[in-house]
Amino acid sequence: MDDFDKAIVDFTVVIKFKPDFPYAYYNRANAYSGLYNYDSAIADYNKAIELKPDFTDAYYNRGNKYYGMNMYKEAIEDWKQVQKLDPAYKTALQEKINEANYWIEEKKK
């Protein structure tokens, strides 16, 4: 069992005892991401965001997973939400948004 698997087990225990703790879902999502299990990661990011709607890091990471799955529109939505929640990210994320828009246009060709 590697570190990501151990982390998933540990965070699952935390969730069992404290199911309303968004950081447990967020951290388990990050562990799932480390194993390239993006569907499970997205499910946990969704739960973290449900519990903490202003969770910028969860939106950002979920956007990255969407991007990695060629789900560019969803990635853009998440990154724009990060920009809305924390204007400090406006410039930094704009390049990622532009790149995702490029791939959306390429898919239309």
Side-chain angles (χ1 to χ4, degrees):
M1 185 180 281
D2 70 12
D3 290 342
F4 291 125
D5 290 317
K6 289 177 188 172
I8 290 166
V9 169
D10 290 346
F11 288 117
T12 299
V13 170
V14 173
I15 290 166
K16 179 180 177 183
F17 289 101
K18 191 146 172 77
D20 60 343
F21 186 53
Y23 294 95
Y25 293 96
Y26 172 77
N27 287 316
R28 188 172 71 175
N30 291 337
Y32 279 129
S33 292
L35 296 174
Y36 304 99
N37 185 342
Y38 292 163
D39 290 331
S40 294
I42 287 172
D44 275 357
Y45 289 131
N46 289 345
K47 186 65 176 179
I49 290 165
E50 175 188 321
L51 294 169
K52 185 174 171 24
D54 64 345
F55 202 158
T56 55
D57 289 341
Y59 281 106
Y60 177 80
N61 286 357
R62 187 177 70 177
N64 288 341
K65 298 312 146 244
Y66 282 141
Y67 185 86
M69 298 169 72
N70 299 330
M71 298 172 69
Y72 303 117
K73 289 180 183 177
E74 292 84 351
I76 290 168
E77 287 175 21
D78 277 355
W79 293 334
K80 284 187 176 184
Q81 185 64 21
V82 172
Q83 289 177 319
K84 181 179 172 185
L85 291 168
D86 188 348
Y89 283 98
K90 186 147 184 79
T91 303
L93 283 177
Q94 194 56 50
E95 186 175 324
K96 290 180 90 123
I97 291 168
N98 292 344
E99 186 175 314
N101 277 319
Y102 168 82
W103 289 114
I104 289 170
E105 291 303 313
E106 282 296 307
K107 285 173 92 174
K108 291 179 184 177
K109 294 180 181 179

